[in-house]
Amino acid sequence: MDKKKISSSTNDGLDRRSFLKGAAAAGAATAAAMTAATKVVQAAEEKGPASSAPEANVRGDKFISRPGSDFMLDVIKTLNIDYIASNPASSFRSLHESIVNYGGNRKPEFLTCMHEESSVGIAHGYAKAAGKPMAILAHSSVGLQHAAMAIYNAWADRVPVMMFAGNGVNAAKRRPGVEWTHCVQDPAGLVRDFIKWDDQPASLQHFAESTVRAYKMMMSPPQEPVLITLDIDLQEEPIHEEKLSIPRLSLAMPAQAEERALKEAAKMLVTAQNPVIVADRCARSQEGMDALVSLAETLQCPVICTGNRTNFPSTHYLNLSENRPGLIRNADVVLMLEVQDPWGMLHGMGDPWKDVRRVAKPDVKIIQISLADFMMKSNYQDFQRFQAADLAISGDAQTSLAPLTEAVKRELSSTRAAEIAGKADGMRKRYRDSKERMKTAAALGWEASPVSTARLCAELWNAIKGEDYSLAVSDRIAWPKRLWPATKFHNMMGGSGAAGVGYSAPGAVGVALANRDKGILTVTLQPDGDLCYAPGVLWTAAHHKIPLLFLMFNNRGYVQEVMHLQRMAGLHRRDARTAKVGTMIYDPDVDFGKLAQSFGVYGEGPISDPNAVGPALARALKIVKGGAPALVDVVCQLR
């Protein structure tokens, strides 16, 4: 056998030299095609939106001058949606093209995201800050699976998100390979247990009616995410239907509590000696916040604000949220406003033995104003343990506050009004004493390195005081709620709703996007583990010029889980020092300053010296006020 022949060929008869020659030619052709494609894009960018390459609309030897996706965009535009966030994908490529060319990439503007979970998180934060929703696009089954945790967060937080998901319904028209893998019979089935409504339109008229219906349902309290499936062929094929029409959007008025029920609640509150108001997801706007202040002042009643919304000013003497255990223990009537966990307000449970402790008096009277009964699903248990109420009122709490206040005023005699007014001085003293305790506690470890969480929050406040500010995610660290003056609804935007890690960064970007045109400075205390979930959202903030100050709360670990392992080790009489295994984020340390820089975001750190935090924040704020995001990485104490 000829040895030369063996060396120049493979066992299956493929000539090596021919193979290499062909591969080289193919590589050159691919490179040329990529260069040509790049030139087309660059040429289009130079000519502006008016120039459109006809080749982009070719389908075989035909052109599609009016695809179904154009009409879909017409429908979306009637809903006054400013932004649509998405990671690009083939299942909605036609609608994507319609947005940027037919719609001029305005209302909605396409926000490029690195992950579907980030797109929903951005929409979640945006809706709370803007008071109206934005939209997201998800790629069929795989996109919805990526987005699922963020959707559940929005569901648990009672936040509207307008979601669209591409999908190929007709199996006979699916392209072989990936399109089959990514399509599904029932896309919404992946998330139906934690959305308010969904539909899979079979025609463009069906799409128009269902999309307007979905928006209306989404915005009617309790507000929740909705989903409309976009059929690939319905998007891409020419419009065949005649006499298409878009229904007029008319939002429903929020459901106000029944008048007789509010009168009964007013009687109970007026006659109570120690009433307490607990507000959870009650306020959706400054109007709701002001209405709660009016009610509390009329009753001289202390308020516990859970922090999921800014329901009540932190500077008001009736805000005694930090005195919660004592207030609940002594209360004879508790008014609960959209409280997600009424049972937890009245009880405690030991860990790990699960022993139940009743906090409230046995005879305390409970009034609930909520729409909770209208948003429960069987599988997901965010509705918490059942708690009976003496007066359960179905109605939107924010809408019901003003008529409840009027009912209280009608029940007040002059004598009772004078008695209630006499409580004010005592309430003011309790408020001052609570604030002094918080300041004293915050001073502990002031010069510590790594930086204490109280010092971190104090330095951030010193940097932004005097600004109209918004703390985009305000549930991760308690110190801002204790120390910062929060007098407006937008000052503190709460958290994720379902405590899903990965919300904080995209949620903050969404809040900052809503605040960008309002002149509101947006800052956020960003946990390190959370940012590691989907750091690509930093690129979205940089690319779309969303001004936001990320101050890293970098304790280099999932510290809640550290404490869980320590507790289990103690219970099992084992070494608690091993609790760092699988829970700490070091060796190597993540350099979040460099991570930010890699995505085009101004970044500093890591900083361990508490005296260096203030100057770094001053430098970063200049960037943010100039219209761009910035990040300062501070290494902190574990808690």
Side-chain angles (χ1 to χ4, degrees), residues 503-524:
Y503 165 81
S504 292
V509 171
V511 171
L513 177 63
N515 289 337
R516 185 171 62 183
D517 299 327
K518 297 179 180 180
I520 298 172
L521 174 66
T522 308
V523 300
T524 193

Side-chain angles (χ1 to χ4, degrees), residues 552 554 556 590-595 597 602-608 616 619 631-635:
M552 293 301 301
N554 183 3
R556 291 178 171 163
V590 180
D591 190 328
F592 289 100
K594 289 181 179 177
L595 178 67
Q597 292 168 19
Y602 175 89
E604 279 199 46
I607 298 170
S608 297
R619 291 187 291 271
L631 181 147
V632 176
D633 182 11
V634 179
V635 182

Side-chain angles (χ1 to χ4, degrees), residues 151-163 194-197 214-215 217-227 374-376 382:
I151 298 170
Y152 184 56
N153 274 334
W155 163 266
D157 203 23
R158 315 311 180 209
V159 173
V161 179
M162 188 77 200
M163 303 188 297
F194 42 92
I195 60 176
K196 192 172 189 179
W197 190 71
Y215 190 99
M217 292 180 67
M218 170 184 67
M219 295 304 291
S220 299
Q223 296 178 340
E224 301 287 6
V226 293
L227 174 63
F374 296 85
M375 57 191 166
M376 290 188 186
D382 61 304

